Amino acid sequence: MEIGLAIEFEHRGKKWKTDTPEEAIRLRRELEELDAEEEQFGELDLRGEYDEQLRIDTVWTPDIFWTFIGNIGRQQIETVKALLENPRGITSGKLAERLKLPNEMALAGVLSGLSKQLKKLNLKPAHLYSVNTRWIGENTKEREFVTQRAFDLAAEEVGWPEAERKEDAPNTKKKRK
């Protein structure tokens, strides 16, 4: 019986963990190839074309963006702001701390509220953010939240969070007394 040996290495500030030396070599080569392509072609040039395609293909139109922002609560607003302020990602622990939540279970409740509002718009959490999970040691799991680039672009396009939505026309709904 062969005993597996976990291999850990760091690349661009992120820790990677593989189960075999072969997998570590393959992954490291892939990461280095991506670095070489980025260096050769320039990250900004490729990103500009990619961003333009995202603007065309995105689900995040200004109306959907503002509807989403208008329907979420204060904690969800702060969560989305924190995600946008950390484009390379924010861990669940730091996010809970930023929101002054007692623990990560409370954060799960806030994220559940975001999910419900996204569902009302026929969207999924994956349209807003991705979650990268990695193990630290043998028993500690760390989750990192990263906004989707399409959402970042939509927020940038409408100037949020600095800008507030301007109504197209006065509200004609009667207010309750």
Side-chain angles (χ1 to χ4, degrees):
M1 180 175 184
E2 189 176 318
I3 298 175
L5 177 65
I7 298 164
E8 292 184 20
F9 64 93
E10 193 170 312
H11 181 80
R12 287 188 160 196
K14 279 197 168 184
K15 290 185 180 180
W16 299 83
K17 188 175 183 179
T18 61
D19 295 324
T20 65
E22 294 80 15
E23 186 180 357
I25 292 167
R26 180 191 56 76
L27 179 58
R28 185 69 186 210
R29 282 185 183 149
E30 287 177 14
L31 292 168
E32 287 171 350
E33 285 174 17
L34 286 172
D35 286 347
E37 285 178 19
E38 192 174 281
E39 188 176 309
Q40 181 181 2
F41 297 111
E43 182 180 358
L44 293 176
D45 293 340
L46 293 176
R47 187 157 195 135
E49 289 177 25
Y50 176 73
D51 286 355
E52 188 56 37
Q53 191 59 43
L54 277 177
R55 287 184 203 280
I56 294 166
D57 295 340
T58 187
V59 297
W60 291 107
T61 64
D63 281 344
I64 291 191
F65 180 90
W66 284 120
T67 300
F68 171 67
I69 294 299
N71 289 336
I72 60 177
R74 189 85 232 131
Q75 283 188 313
Q76 286 88 13
I77 291 274
E78 292 305 315
T79 300
V80 174
K81 285 180 181 179
L83 292 172
L84 287 171
E85 290 168 7
N86 294 278
R88 295 203 180 269
I90 185 169
T91 63
S92 54
K94 291 211 183 288
L95 186 55
E97 186 180 304
R98 159 82 191 271
L99 299 172
K100 297 179 176 96
L101 297 172
N103 53 44
E104 291 182 37
M105 288 294 274
L107 176 62
V110 174
L111 295 174
S112 175
L114 278 175
S115 296
K116 288 176 184 175
Q117 293 305 318
L118 287 163
K119 188 174 182 178
K120 288 180 181 179
L121 296 169
N122 294 319
L123 300 175
K124 299 176 183 170
H127 288 109
L128 175 59
Y129 61 82
S130 61
V131 182
N132 301 319
T133 304
R134 65 179 165 210
W135 288 92
I136 301 169
E138 292 189 23
N139 299 322
T140 306
K141 189 188 301 187
E142 181 180 74
R143 290 176 186 84
E144 182 179 55
F145 296 88
V146 181
T147 53
Q148 295 297 344
R149 184 68 183 143
F151 185 81
D152 294 344
L153 291 170
E156 185 180 302
E157 182 179 354
V158 299
W160 193 84
E162 292 83 20
E164 293 296 322
R165 183 173 191 183
K166 306 266 188 294
E167 290 294 326
D168 294 335
N171 189 347
T172 57
K173 293 182 184 174
K174 292 184 180 178
K175 297 193 189 252
R176 292 186 201 185
K177 293 184 180 185

